[in-house]
Amino acid sequence: MPTILDGKKLSQTILDELSAEVYALKSQGIQPGLAVILVGDDPASKVYVGSKQKTCEKIGILSKSSILPAATSQAELLSVVQQYNDDPQIHGILCQLPLPHHLDENEVINAIAPQKDVDCFHPDNVGRVLIGAPRFLPCTPHGVVQLIKRTGIETTGKHAVIVGRSDIVGKPLAAMMLQKDSGSNMGCNSTVTICHSATRNLEEVCAQADILVAAIGKPEFIKAHMVKEGAVVIDVGINRIDADNSKGYRLVGDVAYDEVAPKSSAITPVPGGVGPMTIAMLMYNTVKSAKLAHA
């Protein structure tokens, strides 16, 4: 049986550590603060925002939010971002994506002060990750690396195959896993291959992986024949598929869990794997930002 990489349990451990840090900072008159901006009424985005706010409350982080109508203009949204840039109580700004189609996401991301960009989407912070000198680490890739490192999985010299080249997961995770393991939060010292829609012989490449990361948003795309015996399998995907239950759907990852798990040495469940880690690392970045602001 594989080791189940329990992100829910590990994220709670990290949040407990952060809660102690927040308590210590408060004793110095410093309270980390996170601002969340939500435009529109997308149900999934509302759930994510609510979860982040609840987590802030649990560990003592100040939480502010701006819930804006879907018809909000670019200028109005940028004005809200600037207000939080100028707010000394706020150390992290998160603008929930995706935005309504009439809004320019890149302009909004670029408008967030790099020192408060706890999502690590700003080009300044992305570049720092690439050269191995990060201010922050992107939340989902950082969550993946923490799951691997804190479980004691060997990464040095291992072949990591990442399926998906998104700016949010695939690309930054590849940069992090390439870095030398110098005892930092990011370096894995792995050999990395990124696969995408134009990759030839995708199944064969996946089957060479010591560590296989699926982040493409396709339900149960990774099948057993694509996984090497004893591989570590990290499933970043979360997808709704029809099901004969009271909800009418169930959540699955990008990996066909039931058939892949028996071949793997370690695997993340969906839900309860990478998802909780993403929120924990957002809190980590917010606390780090507060410490940097008062260094």
Side-chain angles (χ1 to χ4, degrees):
M1 290 294 291
T3 298
I4 306 302
L5 302 176
D6 189 339
K8 188 174 181 180
K9 182 178 179 181
L10 179 55
S11 68
Q12 187 57 58
T13 298
I14 292 171
L15 290 174
D16 289 344
E17 294 170 358
L18 291 173
S19 181
E21 283 197 63
V22 171
Y23 181 83
L25 287 170
K26 284 183 177 180
S27 70
Q28 303 170 42
I30 302 167
Q31 182 176 22
L34 175 67
V36 179
I37 303 170
L38 175 62
V39 184
D41 55 2
D42 178 73
S45 292
K46 283 185 175 180
V47 170
Y48 294 147
V49 167
S51 178
K52 290 163 186 173
Q53 290 174 325
K54 288 179 182 176
T55 306
C56 283
E57 293 170 6
K58 286 180 181 178
I59 67 172
I61 290 177
L62 171 68
S63 176
K64 293 186 179 182
S65 62
S66 293
I67 312 301
L68 308 176
T72 297
S73 70
Q74 188 79 7
E76 290 169 332
L77 177 54
L78 291 174
S79 176
V80 172
V81 170
Q82 190 57 48
Q83 289 173 27
Y84 286 132
N85 280 341
D86 297 335
D87 187 343
Q89 287 189 307
I90 294 301
H91 303 97
I93 302 171
L94 183 153
C95 187
Q96 186 66 41
L97 303 178
L99 293 173
H101 295 303
H102 69 283
L103 297 173
D104 185 336
E105 290 185 356
N106 287 331
E107 186 178 10
V108 174
I109 290 169
N110 291 342
I112 296 173
Q115 296 83 359
K116 297 188 178 186
D117 168 41
V118 288
D119 260 336
C120 197
F121 289 166
H122 192 284
D124 182 75
N125 288 324
V126 172
R128 285 173 173 269
V129 171
L130 188 62
I131 64 172
R135 175 185 287 116
F136 305 117
L137 294 171
C139 301
T140 297
H142 192 189
V144 169
V145 170
Q146 286 295 303
L147 267 174
I148 292 171
K149 282 179 167 287
R150 292 201 183 210
T151 315
I153 292 169
E154 180 58 54
T155 58
T156 297
K158 299 295 184 179
H159 186 193
V161 174
I162 301 169
V163 187
R165 55 179 169 183
S166 73
D167 293 337
I168 295 174
V169 180
K171 291 177 185 176
L173 179 59
M176 291 169 65
M177 296 195 75
L178 278 170
Q179 299 292 336
K180 291 182 179 179
D181 186 355
S182 58
S184 68
N185 283 322
M186 67 179 288
C188 290
N189 210 19
S190 302
T191 299
V192 181
T193 299
I194 302 180
C195 296
H196 47 79
S197 57
T199 299
R200 296 181 180 180
N201 304 318
L202 173 63
E203 296 182 354
E204 290 84 349
V205 176
C206 289
Q208 297 171 21
D210 300 308
I211 301 170
L212 178 62
V213 181
I216 52 174
K218 292 186 177 181
E220 301 182 322
F221 178 82
I222 302 295
K223 308 295 186 184
H225 69 277
M226 301 168 68
V227 178
K228 182 169 73 172
E229 194 74 40
V232 174
V233 180
I234 308 293
D235 192 347
V236 180
I238 185 162
N239 313 279
R240 285 189 181 188
I241 63 172
D242 294 336
D244 185 17
N245 58 29
S246 59
K247 294 181 179 178
Y249 69 89
R250 63 187 179 94
L251 297 176
V252 299
D254 292 348
V255 174
Y257 184 91
D258 289 343
E259 64 175 86
V260 169
K263 291 189 72 175
S264 63
S265 61
I267 189 168
T268 57
V270 174
V274 175
M277 294 296 295
T278 298
I279 294 179
M281 302 331 294
L282 174 67
M283 300 299 125
Y284 177 93
N285 282 349
T286 303
V287 174
K288 181 177 182 181
S289 180
K291 292 190 291 187
L292 290 173
H294 294 86

